[in-house]
Amino acid sequence: MSVVETKALVKRFGDVVAVNSIDLRIEEGEFLVLLGPSGSGKTSLLRMVAGLEKPSDGQILIGGKDVTFMPPRARNLSMVFQSYALYPHMNVFRNISFPLKAEGLPYEERKKKVEWAASIFGIEHLLHRKPRQLSGGQRQRVALARAVVREPGVFLLDEPLSNLDAQLRATARDEIKQFQRRIGTTTIYVTHDQVEAMGMGDRIAVMHLGNMHQLGTPQELYREPADTFVATFLGSPPMNLVKKDSCIIGFHPEHFLPEDVLHPETATFSFAFEVTRVEYLGADRFLYGMVQGAEGPTRIISKVPSLVTLNFEAGRKYTFVVQESDLKYFDHASGKRIPPLPFTTVEPTAQAVVS
Amino acid sequence: MPAVLYIVLLVGVPFALSIAYSFSDVTIGDQSIDFVGLETYERVVDNPVFQTSLVNNFRFTLFSQVLVTTLSIILALALAQDFPGKWFFRFLILLPWVTPIALGTVGWLYMLDTIYSPFDYVLRELGFLANVEGKGGFVRGLTDSLQSLGLVESDTALKLNCQVRGEREVCFFNMQWLGQDQTALGSVIAVHVWRMLPLSTVIVLAGLTSIPKDIRDAVAVDGVGHLRAFFEVTLPLIAPITGIATLFGLIYTFTDVTVIAVLTKGNPANETQVLPYWAYLKGIQGTNLAEGAAIALFMFPFLLVIAVLVLRFISRREVT
């Protein structure tokens, strides 16, 4: 178990800066998620930590030791790949024991460790199968067992769930989180799926175009997004952003509710919301529609819980409100979070209702 | 349909004809097919050249294919690395394959010339060849100085070009690569390897590049050494495609005459004679079509076995 640090880590591919000066400290036993869309540099960052990619600049420390120029095998880490990268010609037992062979362990010990790792993931009965005889979920477990068996200092997981179907993904998410808790190994997990990130991460680093936009717990990121990118990347559906004259205001769909059902504790902010489509999802309804922003109509979404039994019809206008305390303010130009602006200057046309 | 027609006309008919010929006494002068039973086969087998050719055929095929496969794996591994000027080296490696093989082999004929061979020149300069004065050359100089220090017995200098014949030691001025029993087959094999290596290398290289990047990364992270990574991961993964390349190489080499026809024509004294060239000598040059056909048909069982192996290989290996 080790602390992983990156110091001003840079990766350039030609003129493209894939990773732009990232400072990160992953604490012992922490589960850190690198979250970002494709091309955000999250995988490059992970591969540099693994030693599979040489940094253009900066430093990587694992357990306090500078490993920047060390090969992967000197870093005492293991990695689970998106494709699982199982060795197709070896059976499951040989796949799992392969990293142990590298350490020169005798067969008896290897066997014991493989059986231990296999038992964690419930794949003892598959040890004699070849990877091609396994389902996607089973392959993923084999890949995890192979990563665990060496009891490494750091786990690196590169989108390990993206090849699974949706149902399996939910259970696998839970399993990975549980086993990580149990063995307490420092883990870096790369994903583009914010649901995975929110559900699994102790902390999440949100990346975009090589830059780290925010680092924090899932709650911090969701409640206090540092900029418009983080705000729109997290949550499903993501935060609504409406341009106003002096700034951008943002609010989560679940905070954007019909006037009649909200019992506000602070001042509220109301919109004329023209519903264009209603999506019924059982526990919630998503209302897609338009409000008037500074630069014309803006598409936004409201998430109405099933407790609200009001009827909504597409094509009609309703008055929807947001509590002032649920509003976030962002700078027009930079998209960065700014302190709340005085109410009236934000929205001269809206009716400010003080309850 | 056209493909079937094509195979029947160009492969099936000649094959059937050659079987018919082999049981007859057909010659170019008398083309009537008279059935003579196994008489032609008996005559072929009784010829001492037959055994030499058969053995040589296997030696030529197996030695060159073992070399080609081994060298092509090494070469492909080297070319798969990232280094400046990679495309240029790949181009160089491919050159022998795009050269018309008869021309390339004629080039080798000069390289292995009895008098002007550049190899002999280099060996002579180094002192590996005994020359008239018995002086000069790096090796000779080395043995001379060791001798003067009393470290070696006199006259231990390497003389590659000398043979003991009865009581006497006979030294040629040159190696006579293609003229001596010991070097002729080796030279032929070496030139054939030079010629077959590019294609095999390209095929193995394709196999190497088809190994997923994730697998190579996994090997790196799992921390195994280069040797173990090669023998336990890389080699098994390129084995199917290398196997196919080897089997095709075996068939190709077993029936190939180009290098032998240009370099030695089976000489010296049939030391480099192989079945296909002997069949040509007997059947076309010697006008005895029946014997030519019979000789050629002796290659059939071997080719059949290899062909069956290829087909089984292809049908067994389904992709993961």
Side-chain angles (χ1 to χ4, degrees), chain A residues 296-317:
Chain A
T298 310
R299 293 186 166 281
I300 64 170
I301 304 171
S302 163
K303 183 176 171 182
V304 183
S306 57
L307 287 170
V308 177
T309 51
L310 291 172
N311 194 32
F312 298 103
E313 278 168 38
R316 288 188 57 184
K317 268 191 184 174

Side-chain angles (χ1 to χ4, degrees), chain B residues 87-110:
Chain B
W87 69 269
F88 181 69
F89 283 97
R90 287 192 175 182
F91 166 75
L92 278 188
I93 297 292
L94 260 182
L95 264 186
W97 189 256
V98 295
T99 317
I101 185 55
L103 288 183
T105 316
V106 167
W108 278 102
L109 196 57
Y110 290 114

Side-chain angles (χ1 to χ4, degrees), chain B residues 46-67:
Chain B
D46 285 342
N47 193 327
V49 179
F50 172 75
Q51 212 181 346
T52 328
S53 304
L54 189 67
V55 171
N56 278 343
N57 220 154
F58 278 102
R59 291 207 309 201
F60 177 60
T61 307
L62 297 181
F63 279 125
S64 46
Q65 205 50 48
V66 165
L67 280 172

Side-chain angles (χ1 to χ4, degrees), chain B residues 220-239:
Chain B
V221 173
D222 280 348
V224 294
H226 291 298
L227 268 187
R228 192 189 286 276
F230 173 72
F231 282 108
E232 295 204 20
V233 179
T234 312
L235 199 57
L237 290 180
I238 59 170

Side-chain angles (χ1 to χ4, degrees), chain B residues 14 39 47 64 75 97 100 102 112 115 126 128 138 210 230 242 269-271 288-290:
Chain B
E39 197 183 294
N47 193 327
S64 46
L75 207 52
W97 189 256
L112 301 168
I115 297 171
L126 287 173
F128 280 110
F138 172 73
S210 75
F230 173 72
T242 311
N270 289 316
E271 276 302 317
N288 194 333
L289 289 178

Side-chain angles (χ1 to χ4, degrees), chain B residues 169-187:
Chain B
E169 188 184 44
V170 180
C171 291
F172 300 99
F173 192 64
N174 284 286
M175 282 299 290
Q176 315 216 21
W177 298 99
L178 299 173
Q180 293 196 68
D181 300 356
Q182 296 91 329
T183 52
L185 190 62
S187 304

